[in-house]
Amino acid sequence: MFRTALRNLLAHKARLMMTALAVLLGVAFVAGTLIFSDSVGEAVKNASARNLKDVAVSVQAVYGPDRPGGEGKDGKRATALDDRLADRIRALPGVAGVRSDVTGQATVAARGDGHPIGNGWQNRAANYQPGPGGDDPRYPLVRGRGPARADEVALARSTADAAGYRLGDPVRLATDGPVLTKKLVGIVASDDPAVTAGGSLTLFDTATAQRLYLHPGQFDELVVAAAPGTDQEALTAKVAALLPADRATATSGRELAAEQARRIADQNHALSQTLLTFAGIALFVGVFIIANTFTMLISQRTREIALLRAVGASRRQVVRSVLVEAGLLGLLSSAVGFGLGAGIAVGLRAVLASQGAGFPDGPVVISPSAVAASLAVGVGVTVLAAWLPSRKAARIAPVEALSTVDAPPTPRSLVFRNVLGGVLTTLGVAVMLWVSTLTGGDNLPLAMGGSMLTLIGMIVLAPLLSRPLVSLAGLVTTRLFGVGGKLAKENALRNPRRTAATGSALMIGLTLITGLTVAGHSSQLALDRMAAAGLTADYKISTSTGTGLDPQRSAAVARVPGVAATAPLRGAGYTVQGGGSGPDGGFGYVHGTDLDQIGKVTALTVTQGSLAAVRSGGIAVSETGAKEHGWRAGDTVALTFYDKKTVTVRVGAVYADNPVLGESFAGTALVDPHLDRLRDDELLVKARDGGSAALAGRIRAALGDSPLLKIQDHNDLRKETAGQIDTMVYMIYGLLGMAVVIAVVGVVNTLAMSVFERTREIGMLRAIGLSRAGVKRMVRLESVVISLFGAVLGIGVGIFLAWAGGKLVGSSFATYRMVLPWDRLGLFLLLALVVGVLAALWPARRAARLNMLEAIGAH
């Protein structure tokens, strides 16, 4: 039976080619994901190991819970790590050296247009510490030298290239205060993931770095190198004994390495799981193609199977023969797919690196587990998909098979399938209707489960749904194309299970794409409405690092010609201690602002009380916040701010929810005493005659023309938020594209094997006068009908799932409501039409080239 399976595999190479391609693509996706994950994980691990190579103990500053970032009112951190502590650690037995690190953030302005380089929080800064050889081993010099004076800096090579600076150029940059200009004296190499992932690196001499971020003589970290033969754990204990209680911690190099390894593994696991999910979708689509292929092959080989049974082959042997054939096909396809997967891994790494992922350099890692998993998945999926067709072949009695050409599915099997599909679909729809009444991300697993049930139910019901939908499409094809259109309809209806399996493969991909598109489009419109509803200012000004604006600079903006009104927003968190008619407890955040100007820059609607009561020292609360705490205008509440001070205030007003103002606002006099540092989180600016590039330039100049500044108009704000949605949607489109490609392969495969199955029929049609062009048209129309059937089901199910899950998305956007993107949905239908036409090119050409007499005589 093994020889029989091998012979059948070799005898049907052309018919199995498309099935092999489906398995190959699915396995390539899985293999590419595993190889990519292993390669990136190993590269990051090696880079981390290099960074920790000489680290025996790391001493890091600890800040109190009331000041997690450590910044004081001057914006600088105060640490217990100083030169005196470094000298005491350096004197310990077994210590080979102590490196004293200062870290912070610095944003560099490009040489030409002055735009900031990097992406905010990843714009790192550090002190350059020359070693015995004159260089800092952490940052190998590429050109020039390290900074040695206050007016000098060094930049990472990627930062200098992006900004257009060369040695000797004056570099404009900002840390947290005014713009600084320093001379570029060195360019260094860095494999810091934050820098290679789109950030920047600026290096100062130690004294300058301390003056910018800390205080003279203080450090963020002390890195201890051990002498050869020194026990790390013992040295860590000795260092810990010297540290001031609750002001610093000592961690061994081994513990740091283990923690980094865990963090890398967690990051890789999340990315790998995401990619493997889409690989699973692609393989799930491939199951339909494989099952379809083997069902058709077995139908075409009924006489052969009957002869095997007649000469003594048992049912088990027939099943085993088909499964061995599927296993060999899966093994060969998986082997080729694994090779393609290695190429995908390299390409994926290059694409992500071009988008700023910044993975360290490293070789492609092909682990035995990746090979085993890829082959096991490919062979397992193929054998599993062929199992039901193999059992069907084994159940055919030899005498019946010898006299049967193509038995249609029995009514009983379709009845059972329809009942099962109805039950699954009903359960899935019921779950999704329940989900439509829920809010919050905690219900996402329930929504995913309901979506899966609904989709599986529709797949099982597809044969039942194919008859009315294909018949409806057949009315159009018959009216437009006459006999060819009618024949296409009848061919698609001849075997509803085959049509359903082929259409379902396309339906799965389009269901996911449609649901994603509808949810993404609706979210974008919700963000637009939210911005329009809450903000009437022409500009929102902030900093890319979140460090805030100097209030004196903010006040200067009001005097810029063309500015009609400005209002700062700076906030403080609090806990509710009592008051009002609601329960005690709960957290809140209050914005301090200019109460005379806030109504000019936001769409503020007061529903209870008045702003006059807020100006008298009260607080304004949003309707949602008031409902949550049980407050009404006139209530007295006690608020304990994060500086542990409690203030009793009156609720002066309740206003309609506003995304700009958040849950509450008050005058700056209420908020300012509780801030560690007086900084404006945002500045809202209303222009007298509307925004313009010239006005934005004058505002930037008034604020010191810092590269930290973000001056955004309504369009910029929409792009910032909606752009993230677009990026996610397009990324998922690309990942789901593999499933759609496999579905197209399935349409080609089904049509090609159907043409072979109907060779005699096509010969008879040619004999009674159907032209070659008519045969091509018939096959193409059949392909179009099947593709449109899958597309209509997919788009319909996708819209339903997007509607049912809309409340979960809407819980993040008060203005969310489902809006159908008719242009994109129309494009999906058009693409399905194109898929049908393209998928039929080869099968239609093959059918038209059949020799009429040979076709009539075919068995």
Side-chain angles (χ1 to χ4, degrees):
M1 295 307 292
F2 178 79
R3 288 197 301 270
T4 301
L6 185 59
R7 180 185 61 79
N8 285 331
L9 184 65
L10 296 175
H12 303 100
K13 293 188 294 292
R15 294 184 228 176
L16 291 169
M17 181 177 64
M18 289 296 176
T19 304
L21 183 59
V23 179
L24 184 153
L25 291 174
V27 171
F29 208 157
V30 174
T33 299
L34 296 175
I35 294 172
F36 168 80
S37 178
D38 290 342
S39 300
V40 170
E42 189 66 20
V44 175
K45 191 181 297 182
N46 290 339
S48 299
R50 288 194 297 271
N51 291 335
L52 296 174
K53 180 181 177 182
D54 298 322
V55 179
V57 183
S58 170
V59 179
Q60 296 183 337
V62 174
Y63 307 106
D66 58 331
R67 193 170 292 172
E71 292 86 357
K73 291 186 179 294
D74 60 356
K76 299 178 182 180
R77 299 185 301 276
T79 80
L81 311 185
D82 52 21
D83 289 317
R84 185 170 53 184
L85 178 60
D87 290 339
R88 292 175 63 194
I89 294 174
R90 196 174 285 113
L92 288 173
V95 172
V98 177
R99 188 182 76 222
S100 306
D101 292 348
V102 180
T103 57
Q105 290 179 319
T107 300
V108 176
R111 181 181 181 185
D113 55 19
H115 280 76
I117 299 302
N119 48 15
W121 289 106
Q122 290 179 302
N123 293 340
R124 294 192 64 246
N127 60 322
Y128 187 86
Q129 300 176 69
D135 295 339
D136 189 330
R138 297 174 299 164
Y139 308 112
L141 282 167
V142 176
R143 292 187 295 276
R145 59 176 176 80
R149 300 199 306 266
D151 61 345
E152 297 176 343
V153 294
L155 298 177
R157 177 165 43 191
S158 59
T159 305
D161 290 344
Y165 288 119
R166 297 181 180 179
L167 289 179
D169 287 343
V171 177
R172 293 183 68 251
L173 57 94
T175 56
D176 187 21
V179 177
L180 307 174
T181 302
K182 297 181 182 293
K183 182 180 179 181
L184 180 62
V185 297
I187 295 177
V188 303
S190 174
D191 57 2
D192 185 331
V195 178
T196 57
S200 64
L201 174 65
T202 306
L203 299 176
F204 305 96
D205 66 283
T206 297
T208 302
Q210 288 174 329
R211 186 169 60 253
L212 289 172
Y213 303 110
L214 301 170
H215 296 88
Q218 295 183 353
F219 305 97
D220 288 299
E221 182 182 15
L222 301 176
V223 179
V224 181
T230 303
D231 180 78
Q232 274 194 11
E233 302 303 328
L235 182 58
T236 302
K238 293 178 183 178
V239 171
L242 297 178
L243 304 182
D246 302 325
R247 297 292 308 280
T249 61
T251 308
S252 69
R254 290 194 188 93
E255 190 175 342
L256 281 177
E259 177 58 31
Q260 284 196 0
R262 284 193 296 270
R263 187 169 62 250
I264 293 167
D266 290 341
Q267 293 171 348
N268 275 350
H269 179 73
L271 178 60
S272 298
Q273 289 299 310
T274 301
L275 294 174
L276 286 174
T277 298
F278 290 96
I281 293 170
L283 286 169
F284 184 58
V285 171
V287 167
F288 293 93
I289 299 170
I290 300 164
N292 235 5
T293 301
F294 277 93
T295 298
M296 296 175 74
L297 280 176
I298 287 166
S299 178
Q300 294 165 17
R301 285 167 19 202
T302 50
R303 293 180 183 272
E304 176 187 327
I305 294 171
L307 286 173
L308 287 173
R309 295 279 283 114
V311 298
S314 65
R315 290 187 176 185
R316 183 174 298 177
Q317 286 178 309
V318 172
V319 171
R320 191 180 305 149
S321 174
V322 176
L323 294 182
V324 167
E325 185 178 345
L328 290 173
L329 175 68
L331 184 62
L332 293 173
S333 303
S334 299
V336 178
F338 186 84
L340 179 61
I344 289 176
V346 174
L348 181 61
R349 188 169 177 176
V351 169
L352 292 178
S354 69
Q355 298 298 316
F359 299 118
D361 293 331
V364 176
V365 177
I366 299 178
S367 64
S369 61
V371 177
S374 301
L375 295 180
V377 165
V379 174
V381 166
T382 309
V383 170
L384 180 64
W387 181 70
L388 284 178
S390 71
R391 288 181 59 82
K392 177 185 174 183
R395 286 198 301 266
I396 299 175
V399 174
E400 292 180 8
L402 288 171
S403 61
T404 303
V405 178
D406 186 16
T410 64
R412 181 180 178 185
S413 65
L414 285 176
V415 168
F416 174 76
R417 177 169 179 160
N418 293 339
V419 171
L420 177 62
V423 171
L424 292 174
T425 304
T426 302
L427 286 174
V429 170
V431 171
M432 293 309 296
L433 290 176
W434 182 26
V435 167
S436 69
T437 66
L438 304 175
T439 59
D442 294 342
N443 297 302
L444 184 59
L446 180 64
M448 293 177 65
S451 300
M452 184 64 69
L453 264 180
T454 305
L455 186 56
I456 293 174
M458 293 299 294
I459 291 170
V460 178
L461 272 182
L464 178 65
L465 299 173
S466 67
R467 184 162 294 278
L469 292 177
V470 171
S471 296
L472 183 62
L475 292 176
V476 178
T477 58
T478 302
R479 187 175 184 84
L480 295 178
F481 301 100
V483 175
K486 184 174 183 179
L487 288 172
K489 180 197 74 171
E490 296 299 329
N491 288 334
L493 290 175
R494 179 179 301 180
N495 192 327
R497 288 193 296 183
R498 181 187 305 169
T499 299
T502 308
S504 294
L506 190 59
M507 178 189 76
I508 295 168
L510 281 177
T511 294
L512 299 174
I513 289 174
T514 299
L516 174 72
T517 300
V518 173
H521 178 71
S522 301
S523 297
Q524 287 178 338
L525 294 180
L527 289 170
D528 288 345
R529 286 191 293 270
M530 184 182 296
L535 184 67
T536 59
D538 294 290
Y539 296 105
K540 185 175 85 168
I541 305 172
S542 59
T543 59
S544 59
T545 56
T547 51
L549 303 165
D550 184 345
Q552 293 183 352
R553 292 275 190 182
S554 298
V557 174
R559 298 189 292 272
V560 172
V563 171
T566 64
L569 291 176
R570 48 184 182 259
Y574 61 80
T575 57
V576 180
Q577 297 301 318
S581 58
D584 294 352
F587 299 91
Y589 192 85
V590 57
H591 283 109
T593 188
D594 185 336
L595 296 175
D596 294 327
Q597 301 291 317
I598 192 63
K600 300 176 183 179
V601 294
T602 62
L604 178 62
T605 303
V606 177
T607 58
Q608 294 180 33
S610 67
L611 281 182
V614 181
R615 291 190 185 97
S616 301
I619 185 173
V621 184
S622 69
E623 289 182 335
T624 299
K627 182 178 179 181
E628 179 182 346
H629 295 293
W631 294 342
R632 295 184 58 83
D635 288 346
T636 300
V637 297
L639 308 180
T640 299
F641 288 88
Y642 287 172
D643 60 356
K644 308 302 183 184
K645 297 177 182 177
T646 301
V647 178
T648 301
V649 296
R650 184 176 297 277
V651 177
V654 176
Y655 58 92
D657 289 355
N658 186 303
V660 178
L661 296 171
E663 58 188 307
S664 60
F665 71 88
T668 55
L670 176 65
V671 174
D672 289 356
H674 308 288
L675 298 178
D676 289 334
R677 189 181 181 206
L678 202 60
R679 306 288 279 183
D680 292 334
D681 299 326
E682 296 175 356
L683 179 66
L684 306 181
V685 179
K686 180 72 175 178
R688 183 169 291 111
D689 300 314
S692 66
L695 178 58
R698 291 196 295 270
I699 293 173
R700 180 175 287 276
L703 290 170
D705 196 18
S706 169
L708 296 175
L709 286 175
K710 290 172 60 178
I711 302 178
Q712 298 171 293
D713 59 19
H714 281 268
N715 192 46
D716 295 328
L717 292 170
R718 191 201 69 81
K719 287 180 179 179
E720 184 177 63
T721 52
Q724 297 173 359
I725 296 176
D726 281 339
T727 300
M728 181 189 71
V729 168
Y730 291 136
M731 180 186 71
I732 297 179
Y733 276 176
L735 294 172
L736 287 174
M738 183 71 76
V740 176
V741 169
I742 293 176
V744 173
V745 169
V747 177
V748 176
N749 201 33
T750 298
L751 289 174
M753 297 189 70
S754 180
V755 166
F756 180 85
E757 193 176 75
R758 303 200 307 260
T759 298
R760 179 182 292 184
E761 176 188 321
I762 293 171
M764 291 295 294
L765 289 171
R766 292 278 289 114
I768 62 175
L770 189 63
S771 65
R772 293 184 185 273
V775 172
K776 286 184 179 180
R777 188 182 304 117
M778 176 186 70
V779 176
R780 282 198 297 264
L781 288 174
E782 181 182 355
S783 175
V784 167
V785 166
I786 293 174
S787 297
L788 288 178
F789 164 67
V792 169
L793 277 186
I795 292 173
V797 176
I799 291 173
F800 169 73
L801 296 180
W803 168 81
K807 278 283 187 72
L808 301 185
V809 180
S811 61
S812 300
F813 310 115
T815 55
Y816 180 90
R817 66 174 181 267
M818 191 181 83
V819 179
L820 296 181
W822 292 108
D823 53 342
R824 296 191 192 183
L825 299 181
L827 178 62
F828 295 160
L829 279 175
L830 180 62
L831 288 175
L833 182 66
V834 173
V835 163
V837 172
L838 295 178
L841 289 178
W842 176 58
R845 185 168 179 267
R846 184 174 182 272
R849 294 180 63 184
L850 289 174
N851 182 281
M852 186 189 311
L853 297 178
E854 291 179 358
I856 293 173
H859 294 288

